[in-house]
Amino acid sequence: MNKQQETETENILEVSHLKKYFPIKGGMFGGQTGAVRAVDDVSFQIKKGTTMGLVGESGCGKSTTGRTILRLLDKTDGTILFKGQDVNQLSHKEMQEMRTKMQIIFQDPYSSLSPRLPVGEIIGEAVREHNLVPKSEYQDYVTKIMNDCGLQAYHKDRYPHEFSGGQRQRICIARALALNPEFVVCDEPVSALDVSVQAQIINLLRDLQQKHQLTYLFISHDLSVVEHISDTIGVMYLGGLVETGETEDIFANPLHPYTQALFSAIPMPDPDMKRSRIILEGSIPSPANPPKGCKFHTRCRKCMDICSQEVPAEKDMGNGHKVRCHLYDKK
């Protein structure tokens, strides 16, 4: 097996130049007058059995990226390869089969569960739809999935409103894992939970990953959580990735000014330790009318003349640590 084949085998997901634009309509005839560039030329790969954290401010395009990968939203441009298959080239029937391999855990466990269905039906509905197990084994299968996620068999007949926030998120995780997926998009799965419950859910996700060899795209704005669970990290700003690399490398040496500003806001556990806080000036530009050149230059303390004129190319700084910033242009 040559190196290219080995790479293709390692990467369960390969995203190349992904774009997702939402049209802006207006005028007398309701025609398109512009577009919101929610995801604008994003590329990354995730190796099988690992977790990639996707971080950034609210509205930067993290969730839209995850949903476009799963084809819950139609892409505008780019390529999404899952195990070598182009997701957007699959027929409706092929995509239905692919749904069992790609799942999502939504951010809000309160609104993502039907209040009219008991928990057992919520978890097992897709299992029945895809005929994953014989009817005689259905109840035992659902019970096993619930036990794996810290739920009891007697919870089957209860409804979502009878559970706490942490238990509801366990139900969401069980629903996603019931189809025995290989890849799961975790769309801020702990942001609506108390800190103590967050730790329980994160540990559960890690245990399930080891047990079932799962691959995660973990979307979050909480850098402390991302550091704990991720193998690699991608930092997004205004629809694009500004820095990617292994978690240890990025936390030890953040290169992009935006990444440095984000990391400076992480609370320190030791009250005697102080970190120099970088305050970003100005507001986030509109994704419908992003700045020319580097999108971050309007808020960057290290802005140079070239930043407002040319889009920075991606530079590999070693060990797969990549950054898009003119500060690292070769002299």
Side-chain angles (χ1 to χ4, degrees):
M1 183 181 291
N2 59 37
K3 289 185 178 181
Q4 183 177 357
Q5 289 174 322
E6 288 178 359
T7 302
E8 291 173 353
T9 304
E10 285 181 0
N11 294 330
I12 193 171
L13 182 74
E14 296 184 18
V15 178
S16 301
H17 305 290
L18 180 63
K19 296 181 181 180
K20 175 58 184 175
Y21 296 171
F22 294 97
I24 300 173
K25 296 184 178 180
M28 185 179 296
F29 301 103
Q32 183 171 338
T33 57
V36 175
R37 301 182 179 186
V39 181
D40 197 11
D41 198 13
V42 166
S43 300
F44 60 85
Q45 299 84 36
I46 307 180
K47 292 182 179 180
K48 183 176 176 61
T50 66
T51 300
M52 176 179 177
L54 200 57
V55 302
E57 294 171 288
S58 296
C60 70
K62 306 185 298 296
S63 295
T64 303
T65 299
R67 295 182 186 213
T68 307
I69 288 171
L70 297 181
R71 233 175 101 174
L72 298 177
L73 297 171
D74 291 328
K75 67 167 187 175
T76 301
D77 197 7
T79 306
I80 303 164
L81 298 180
F82 178 72
K83 298 180 70 176
Q85 285 187 295
D86 190 332
V87 173
N88 289 277
Q89 296 297 322
L90 299 178
S91 65
H92 177 74
K93 183 178 180 181
E94 290 171 331
M95 194 62 211
Q96 284 294 97
E97 295 175 0
M98 184 67 79
R99 294 286 182 207
T100 64
K101 302 302 179 186
M102 306 169 72
Q103 283 292 300
I104 184 169
I105 300 169
F106 292 102
Q107 175 179 358
D108 187 1
Y110 296 87
S111 61
S112 62
L113 297 174
S114 172
R116 297 179 177 85
L117 294 178
V119 167
E121 184 64 23
I122 289 173
I123 296 172
E125 187 177 21
V127 176
R128 187 186 294 115
E129 178 70 23
H130 290 276
N131 297 314
L132 290 186
V133 296
K135 288 184 179 180
S136 60
E137 301 175 15
Y138 171 78
Q139 291 296 337
D140 290 339
Y141 181 80
V142 173
T143 300
K144 179 181 179 300
I145 294 295
M146 292 177 67
N147 287 336
D148 286 348
C149 297
L151 298 166
Q152 303 300 318
Y154 64 84
H155 289 151
K156 283 183 185 177
D157 299 324
R158 295 187 179 181
Y159 289 82
H161 72 270
E162 300 179 65
F163 293 88
S164 66
Q167 287 176 314
R168 290 183 195 181
Q169 196 59 284
R170 289 176 186 271
I171 296 168
C172 293
I173 294 171
R175 178 178 59 182
L177 294 186
L179 291 176
N180 194 27
E182 297 179 44
F183 172 66
V184 181
V185 173
C186 304
D187 187 4
E188 303 206 34
V190 296
S191 63
L193 306 176
D194 293 338
V195 175
S196 59
V197 180
Q198 284 184 12
Q200 296 173 19
I201 297 300
I202 292 298
N203 290 333
L204 172 63
L205 288 171
R206 294 188 69 177
D207 292 342
L208 291 170
Q209 182 176 39
Q210 294 175 1
K211 184 175 181 179
H212 299 285
Q213 287 298 299
L214 296 169
T215 304
Y216 293 146
L217 175 62
F218 193 92
I219 297 168
S220 180
H221 59 265
D222 190 330
L223 291 165
S224 301
V225 171
V226 170
E227 182 183 18
H228 184 67
I229 196 172
S230 301
D231 299 292
T232 58
I233 289 178
V235 182
M236 283 193 77
Y237 180 79
L238 209 63
L241 285 171
V242 297
E243 188 168 355
T244 57
E246 294 188 4
T247 303
E248 289 184 4
D249 291 342
I250 289 187
F251 270 83
N253 184 29
L255 298 175
H256 197 280
Y258 177 64
T259 309
Q260 294 169 359
L262 286 182
F263 284 17
S264 74
I266 300 176
M268 299 294 291
D270 187 344
D272 295 327
M273 291 182 65
K274 292 185 178 181
R275 176 184 279 139
S276 179
R277 179 73 190 273
I278 301 173
I279 305 297
L280 295 178
E281 298 180 357
S283 57
I284 304 174
S286 169
N289 186 27
K292 294 181 180 179
C294 174
K295 294 179 181 178
F296 186 62
H297 83 265
T298 58
R299 305 173 72 193
C300 183
R301 300 184 307 164
K302 302 177 182 179
C303 178
M304 303 176 290
D305 291 339
I306 192 175
C307 298
S308 60
Q309 299 166 8
E310 296 182 17
V311 177
E314 186 177 70
K315 294 102 179 169
D316 192 333
M317 308 303 290
N319 197 33
H321 192 166
K322 299 177 181 179
V323 63
R324 288 181 177 271
C325 182
H326 288 299
L327 290 172
Y328 306 98
D329 290 347
K330 293 183 179 180
K331 306 298 182 183

